[in-house]
Amino acid sequence: MSTAVFPGTFDPITNGHIDIAQRAAALFDHLVVAVYAHPIKTLLFTPDERLKLAQEVFKDWPNVTVETYDGLTVDMARKKGAKAIIRGLRVVGDFEFEFQMALMNRTLAPEVESVCLLTTKEYYFLSSSIVKEVAKLNGNISELVPPHVVTALDEKIRELGEEAEDRIKIITMRD
Ligand code: ADP
């Protein structure tokens, strides 16, 4: 059985992520959507919230499971018996970052291949950061994320009030 892992922060999961997961799930027998619990960046949602939002998306997908992880992605991939790490490519800036990451991952685990899938044109400019920013400004994000994520974003932004601002700053397109 061929397994791949799709690691990311998923803060929160967007239709861009879902598109990549859907296409990866068609290429491998089993896809593990792996939510990186504690990246070095300020996030809006807790690891458990990000996990649950993603689990809701994939609950009826027969060959996709969702879990959180910490530590090196290659270690998690090895533990899962994965032969590939899936990443998505949008703008040119993504390429540089993913290239560097893939080379490092190959150095650490030569048996795990990095597979980059190109974004679908509708999602070219879609990132979790831009979704959070638009949600904070009360813009319509219903085309960009599933309905339960729209609700979760509304609730979280309301709950955090002023603090939400600091937790959703756009730093780069990559976030
Ligand atoms: P990370 O912090 O690991 O980059 P993200 O949740 O931001 O986590 O993204 C996870 C993966 O999904 C990355 O490979 C990213 O390039 C990809 N991705 C995010 N949004 C899109 C999109 N709109 N189209 C294609 N790939 C995307």
Side-chain angles (χ1 to χ4, degrees), residues 3-34:
T3 298
V5 296
F6 177 29
T9 310
F10 303 105
D11 186 47
I13 190 159
T14 70
N15 291 346
H17 294 125
I18 297 167
D19 172 60
I20 296 293
Q22 184 173 29
R23 290 157 54 204
L27 294 173
F28 294 87
D29 297 322
H30 179 212
L31 181 72
V32 180
V33 174

Side-chain angles (χ1 to χ4, degrees), residues 123-161:
Y123 305 131
Y124 187 72
F125 287 105
L126 180 52
S127 65
S128 296
S129 285
I130 208 139
V131 165
K132 289 181 277 188
E133 187 79 16
V134 174
K136 174 78 180 64
L137 299 170
N138 293 316
N140 181 1
I141 51 165
S142 61
E143 306 273 287
L144 311 176
V145 294
H148 71 284
V149 177
V150 176
T151 308
L153 274 164
D154 283 350
E155 283 173 8
K156 181 59 98 177
I157 287 166
R158 212 172 326 117
E159 174 194 316
L160 287 175

Side-chain angles (χ1 to χ4, degrees), residues 91-117:
V91 287
V92 177
D94 275 354
F95 176 77
E96 217 169 300
F97 179 84
E98 297 298 342
F99 190 41
Q100 196 179 13
M101 189 79 96
L103 289 184
M104 177 51 76
N105 284 341
R106 194 185 300 161
T107 306
L108 297 169
E111 79 283 12
V112 182
E113 196 60 73
S114 290
V115 175
C116 288
L117 299 180

Side-chain angles (χ1 to χ4, degrees), residues 39-59:
I40 315 170
K41 55 183 178 184
T42 311
L43 302 180
L44 188 60
F45 292 99
T46 65
D48 197 49
E49 288 165 341
R50 287 180 280 126
L51 173 76
K52 292 207 166 93
L53 291 174
Q55 272 173 336
E56 178 64 22
V57 170
F58 301 111
K59 64 176 195 270

